[in-house]
């Protein structure tokens, strides 16, 4: 992160949408922050793998990331491809979230297809 | 609580961030755990519509989504530096959103306008003029305007000279600007909430002296959306809970500190907030800048000086390099050391040894950062956090 400043041409920043690894529309991979991070995060460390689960409650659907002990760490939401992820989870596709950055209430994960 | 505001894509490279929020959606998610009747009115591009609907459903937020052809994306290199400049004049305008309610939070939007009627309304103009609230027929029994110091001066002192920086206005001038806004509002009840660059706020009301509220310290600084969180928290406390404006602003500042440090959403209630240390309210002292001698780093140092200036501070850019005789910290109380990947621990230690007992903030995007262990030093691998910490320390 260097070489920029007033009057200097800014570097091109590339951001990918949640991308498919194949023609399969459920072969998703994306990086995002968890929303509503819970105290379970105290036990979570960089490199840990979380389960991604679709939760249906009172007719509303949400997606949460859980530890091996089934403690909710936080929710996935507010990104491009979120609705597709819900559709794929509803079709019984499975995803894992690898913890890339973790602090006392922030957790950035890389989500990809797979099982524990 | 009714919220009306934009929904946009936000992307940042340092730190990585690629989400759909914008002021409206972020405020709605922020308040979703506090208000069972949280409703969002917003414009949404077709491309993101189902992702926004799914997000609203997940947080139990009622909504009225109006489709727009505009696909607005805000790109940032880092939190203080938005690369995208959207000219509101070039954005296709959609039909106005009309809403009525007891407690309403209205944000200025790029692709449309909201005509609101409410008992307690909070207006964060964003891209619009603060005084424009009433222009489209909006009405409020009580109105809170959320402004930055520049907007206060420009809205309240119309003859302010173009060549004078509004951020250096005196307290007397700010008070006069506030009084002029109250006079223009005539008999309407208005509260002014003026936010400062790195936290803290001034509250102006008709019948009380201005109250300055100090910022709360955070250990990291993720700026994208921090103003939205402040507005949402203030609106919840002042408009929905009818708390006093000063108490509502204190709560909002605490929520902001939690957000910039940890990106905490949704928000906790005023009753469950945990106190944070306050940062002094004195003017920001000078900050000396130094660091690695590379050309790229010199550019970054110049950039840091510019950013500090735009946030109300002042910086002395030292000659590059730490050679004896060249480095003079001058009147600065705080030194920001910006180091590149070619630096090593001894460079940091050398700078530390040259600045006496002054506070040293180090930006160094290196894995070796964790080994920086010199006294009176705070180190960060995040550029925006390092800038914030330098400004924070210069205010103590």
């Amino acid at each position: 992160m260097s070489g920029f400043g007033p009057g200097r041409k800014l570097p091109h920043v590339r951001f990918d949408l949640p991308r498919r690894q194949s023609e399969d529309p459920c072969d998703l991979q994306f990086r995002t922050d968890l929303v509503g991070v819970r105290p379970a995060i105290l036990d979570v460390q960089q490199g840990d793998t979380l389960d991604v689960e679709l939760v249906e409650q009172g007719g509303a659907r949400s997606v949460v990331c859980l530890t091996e002990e089934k403690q909710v760490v936080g929710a996935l939401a507010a990104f491009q491809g979120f609705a597709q992820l819900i559709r794929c989870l509803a079709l019984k596709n499975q995803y894992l979230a690898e913890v890339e950055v973790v602090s006392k209430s922030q957790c950035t994960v890389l989500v990809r297809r797979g099982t524990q | 609580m009714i919220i009306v505001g934009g929904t946009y894509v936000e992307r940042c490279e340092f730190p990585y961030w690629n989400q759909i929020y914008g002021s409206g959606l972020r405020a709605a998610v922020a308040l979703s755990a506090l208000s069972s009747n949280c409703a969002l009115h917003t414009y949404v591009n077709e491309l993101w519509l189902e992702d926004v609907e799914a997000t609203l459903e997940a947080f139990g937020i009622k909504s009225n989504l109006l489709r727009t052809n505009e696909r607005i994306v805000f790109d940032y290199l880092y939190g203080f530096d938005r690369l995208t400049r959207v000219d509101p004049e070039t954005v296709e305008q959609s039909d106005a959103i009309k809403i009525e309610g007891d407690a309403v939070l209205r944000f200025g939007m790029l692709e449309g306008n909201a005509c609101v009627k409410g008992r307690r309304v909070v207006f964060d103009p964003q891209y619009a003029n603060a005084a424009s609230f009433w222009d489209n027929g909006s009405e409020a029994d009580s109105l809170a305007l959320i402004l930055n110091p520049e907007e206060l001066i420009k809205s309240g002192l119309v003859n302010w000279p173009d060549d004078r920086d509004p951020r250096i206005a005196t307290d007397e001038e700010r008070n006069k600007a506030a009084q002029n806004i109250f006079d223009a509002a005539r008999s309407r009840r208005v509260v002014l909430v003026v936010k400062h660059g790195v936290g803290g706020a001034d509250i102006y009301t008709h019948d009380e002296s201005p109250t300055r509220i100090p910022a709360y310290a955070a250990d990291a600084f993720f700026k994208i959306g921090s103003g939205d969180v402040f507005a949402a928290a203030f609106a919840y406390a002042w408009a929905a809970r009818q708390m006093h404006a000063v108490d509502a602003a204190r709560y909002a500042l605490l929520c902001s500190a939690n957000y910039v440090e940890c990106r905490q959403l949704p928000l906790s209630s005023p009753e469950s907030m945990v106190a944070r240390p306050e940062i002094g309210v004195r003017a920001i002292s000078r900050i000396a800048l130094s660091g690695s001698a590379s050309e790229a780093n010199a550019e970054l140092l110049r950039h840091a000086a510019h950013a500090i200036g735009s946030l109300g501070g002042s910086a002395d850019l030292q000659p590059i390099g730490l050679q004896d005789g060249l480095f003079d910290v001058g009147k600065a109380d705080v030194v920001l050391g910006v180091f590149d990947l070619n630096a090593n621990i001894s460079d940091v230690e050398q700078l530390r040894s040259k600045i006496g007992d002054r506070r040293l903030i180090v930006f160094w995007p290196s894995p070796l950062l964790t080994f920086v262990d010199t006294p009176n030093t705070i180190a960060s691998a995040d550029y925006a956090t390092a800038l914030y910490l330098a400004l924070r320390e210069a205010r103590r």
Side-chain angles (χ1 to χ4, degrees):
Chain A
M1 129 134 232
S2 58
F4 62 92
R8 188 173 176 119
K9 190 171 185 292
L10 291 160
H12 176 67
V13 183
R14 180 177 170 79
F15 296 92
D16 292 325
L17 294 176
R19 62 180 189 274
R20 295 192 310 227
Q21 304 300 297
S22 66
E23 289 303 304
D24 181 347
C26 288
D27 205 2
L28 302 169
Q29 179 174 309
F30 55 91
R31 178 177 287 113
T32 189
D33 262 29
L34 298 188
V35 189
V37 169
R38 307 271 180 88
I41 197 168
L42 296 173
D43 301 326
V44 172
Q45 295 182 339
Q46 187 179 350
D48 283 359
T49 302
L50 308 173
D51 284 327
V52 178
E53 212 168 280
L54 182 65
V55 179
E56 299 203 48
Q57 201 171 22
R61 295 190 295 187
S62 58
V63 180
V64 294
C65 289
L66 305 133
T67 62
E68 265 184 14
E69 294 76 32
K70 296 293 171 196
Q71 285 187 295
V72 174
V73 179
L76 292 172
F79 58 88
Q80 295 177 80
F82 180 47
Q84 176 65 12
L85 175 69
I86 289 176
R87 275 194 291 272
C88 293
L89 284 164
L91 292 169
K92 306 295 179 199
N93 287 280
Q94 292 183 302
Y95 297 88
L96 296 172
E98 186 187 330
V99 177
E100 292 194 330
V101 179
V102 64
S103 67
K104 60 184 176 185
S105 68
Q106 179 204 337
C107 189
T108 305
V109 293
L110 179 67
V111 177
R112 58 183 153 214
R113 206 175 193 184
T115 53
Q116 287 273 34
Chain B
M1 185 85 224
I2 297 172
I3 298 148
V4 55
T7 297
Y8 311 120
V9 166
E10 303 164 345
R11 305 185 296 194
C12 183
E13 191 168 11
F14 301 105
Y16 182 87
W17 178 256
N18 185 1
Q19 304 282 151
I20 306 172
Y21 276 117
S23 302
L25 181 56
R26 179 177 282 104
V29 171
L31 299 183
S32 60
L34 299 174
S35 173
S36 57
N37 282 316
C38 189
L40 172 66
H41 300 251
T42 188
Y43 302 104
V44 184
N45 183 272
E46 191 74 37
L47 194 64
W48 312 320
L49 183 65
E50 59 174 15
D51 297 323
V52 173
E53 285 173 333
T55 299
L56 293 164
E57 180 186 321
F59 289 94
I61 301 163
K62 299 180 187 81
S63 63
N64 171 31
L65 308 181
L66 283 83
R67 286 167 179 74
T68 172
N69 294 324
E70 294 293 337
R71 194 184 302 173
I72 297 169
V73 178
F74 289 108
D75 281 327
Y76 298 79
L77 189 57
Y78 69 101
F80 282 118
D81 194 9
R82 194 163 81 189
L83 305 177
T84 313
R85 299 278 178 264
V86 180
D87 178 0
E89 299 291 317
T90 65
V91 177
E92 180 188 320
Q93 295 297 295
S94 300
D95 292 341
I97 296 173
K98 293 184 179 177
I99 48 176
E100 251 183 274
D102 285 341
V104 181
L105 169 58
R106 172 187 165 194
F107 288 101
M109 292 178 284
L110 285 163
E111 63 290 61
N113 205 331
C115 177
V116 307
K117 292 184 180 176
R119 291 175 68 182
R120 281 198 168 203
V121 178
V122 175
F123 180 42
D124 183 340
Q126 305 251 326
Y127 321 96
N129 186 314
S132 66
F133 175 77
W134 296 281
D135 290 354
N136 66 354
S138 290
E139 291 172 17
D141 293 350
S142 295
L143 173 69
L145 289 173
I146 297 184
L147 308 169
N148 61 39
E150 212 170 335
E151 289 166 337
L152 171 71
I153 294 299
K154 287 187 172 170
S155 301
L157 297 176
V158 288
N159 294 323
W160 186 264
D162 287 342
D163 59 353
R164 195 166 164 228
D165 187 346
R167 289 169 306 193
I168 58 162
T170 62
D171 284 346
E172 214 169 12
E173 287 165 332
R174 283 192 280 266
N175 293 345
K176 178 69 182 156
Q179 191 55 51
N180 287 346
I181 294 173
F182 291 140
D183 291 346
R186 293 187 290 277
S187 58
R188 297 165 178 134
R189 295 173 67 184
V190 178
V191 175
L192 303 180
V193 183
V194 181
K195 295 180 298 177
H196 298 294
V198 288
D202 294 332
I203 308 297
Y204 298 85
T205 58
H206 276 291
D207 44 6
E208 293 172 48
S209 304
T211 304
R212 177 155 292 181
I213 308 171
Y216 293 103
D219 291 335
F221 200 73
F222 182 74
K223 189 173 184 296
I224 299 169
S226 58
D228 308 333
V229 168
F230 177 90
F234 180 84
Y236 170 71
W238 180 79
R241 295 276 301 267
Q242 308 210 356
M243 287 167 60
H244 189 281
V246 171
D247 296 328
R250 279 188 206 284
Y251 166 64
L253 288 168
L254 268 175
C255 289
S256 284
N258 289 342
Y259 179 79
V260 298
E261 185 173 288
C262 312
R263 307 180 199 177
Q264 188 198 337
L265 291 178
L267 304 182
S268 304
S269 69
E271 292 73 25
S272 56
M273 296 304 285
V274 177
R276 281 176 174 272
E278 293 181 357
I279 304 172
V281 293
R282 75 182 179 91
I284 298 171
S285 62
R286 295 191 81 80
I287 297 168
L289 292 166
S290 188
S292 302
S294 66
E295 189 194 335
N297 207 57
E299 194 71 35
L300 195 56
L301 281 164
R302 279 191 285 276
H303 189 277
H306 177 77
I308 287 167
S310 70
L311 289 163
S314 56
D316 290 325
L317 189 55
Q318 296 297 325
I320 295 304
L322 301 170
Q323 299 92 330
D324 286 335
L326 278 180
F327 189 73
D328 174 14
V329 89
K331 290 181 179 170
D333 294 330
V334 173
V335 178
L336 173 59
V338 175
F339 294 91
D340 61 22
L341 286 168
N342 295 320
N344 53 50
I345 291 281
S346 64
D347 293 327
V348 179
E349 290 170 346
Q350 194 188 356
L351 177 57
R352 175 71 268 173
S353 70
K354 288 180 181 296
I355 62 172
D357 58 0
R358 291 172 177 86
R359 198 77 160 148
L360 173 63
I361 311 298
V362 171
F363 166 66
W364 191 21
S366 161
L368 295 172
L369 183 80
T370 53
F371 299 105
V372 172
D373 188 27
T374 56
N376 213 10
T377 303
I378 312 175
S380 176
D382 180 68
Y383 182 57
T385 294
L387 280 175
Y388 161 76
L389 291 173
L391 286 155
R392 186 187 87 181
E393 294 303 311
R395 234 187 190 170
R396 285 191 192 274

